[in-house]
Amino acid sequence: MPKKANIFDSFSHSAIQQFKEAFGIMDVNKDGLLSADDLVTAFANHGKSISSGDAQNMLDEADGPMNFTQMVTLFANKMAGGTDDDETILKSFEAFEINGQIDAEAFRHSLMTFGNKFSASEVDDAFGEFQIDGGMIDAAHLKGLMCSK
């Protein structure tokens, strides 16, 4: 991706605001930099357990210390990449998964709000293929639909 004079021009004002909110949640110690400890704690605060090594691997994807600008730059580079391999897709679903299930409304909201936004009709079509019980999507079934593994 060619470098823009201002990386923030790559995103809408609304997206930047959402990134700021997410960064604020992840920067648990409020020092302006994300650390492995910040990420482990932030994930735990939202019911998801990750190892310090996994958190560090996420941070190592950046070219330097993970401040807000670095995070936005990383997102821009990731979004410019094209298609993801199955492992990346599986890890994406795991971010939503709790005990083998994904909250359907939270997933719907994310699909319609972040990244390449889906329309309500597109989400409805996709949800017609999912196994949903009591407002929860069967994560294993969803992963099977989306990946060749």
Side-chain angles (χ1 to χ4, degrees), residues 104-149:
E105 284 309 310
F107 193 60
R108 174 184 295 277
H109 173 77
S110 294
L111 290 172
M112 295 174 64
T113 306
F114 305 110
N116 293 332
K117 297 172 185 72
F118 287 78
S119 69
S121 175
E122 290 170 321
V123 172
D124 289 342
D125 288 345
F127 271 47
E129 300 299 319
F130 303 166
Q131 293 179 353
I132 303 173
D133 183 26
M136 300 300 286
I137 300 168
D138 180 303
H141 180 257
L142 176 59
K143 290 175 193 177
L145 289 172
M146 300 297 169
C147 298
S148 61
K149 291 184 177 183

Side-chain angles (χ1 to χ4, degrees), residues 7-119:
I7 195 65
F8 297 100
D9 292 341
S10 299
F11 298 99
S12 69
H13 176 72
S14 175
I16 295 298
Q17 289 305 114
Q18 291 171 351
F19 293 158
K20 283 181 183 176
E21 182 180 338
F23 187 87
I25 291 168
M26 292 184 289
D27 185 16
V28 176
N29 66 8
K30 304 301 181 205
D31 67 353
L33 295 173
L34 298 183
S35 67
D37 288 341
D38 283 332
L39 293 181
V40 168
T41 302
F43 273 75
N45 289 344
H46 289 84
K48 185 76 175 161
S49 176
I50 65 167
S51 72
S52 183
D54 286 341
Q56 189 60 52
N57 287 340
M58 290 179 205
L59 295 170
D60 288 345
E61 292 185 44
D63 292 331
M66 187 69 78
N67 60 22
F68 179 69
T69 301
Q70 186 68 262
M71 185 185 82
V72 172
T73 301
L74 181 65
F75 286 168
N77 290 338
K78 290 283 187 183
M79 292 172 70
T83 62
D84 292 320
D85 61 27
D86 283 354
E87 193 62 36
T88 301
I89 293 168
L90 292 172
K91 285 189 181 283
S92 297
F93 288 129
E94 288 169 7
F96 290 92
E97 186 177 343
I98 298 174
N99 298 324
Q101 297 183 316
I102 297 171
D103 181 289
E105 284 309 310
F107 193 60
R108 174 184 295 277
H109 173 77
S110 294
L111 290 172
M112 295 174 64
T113 306
F114 305 110
N116 293 332
K117 297 172 185 72
F118 287 78
S119 69

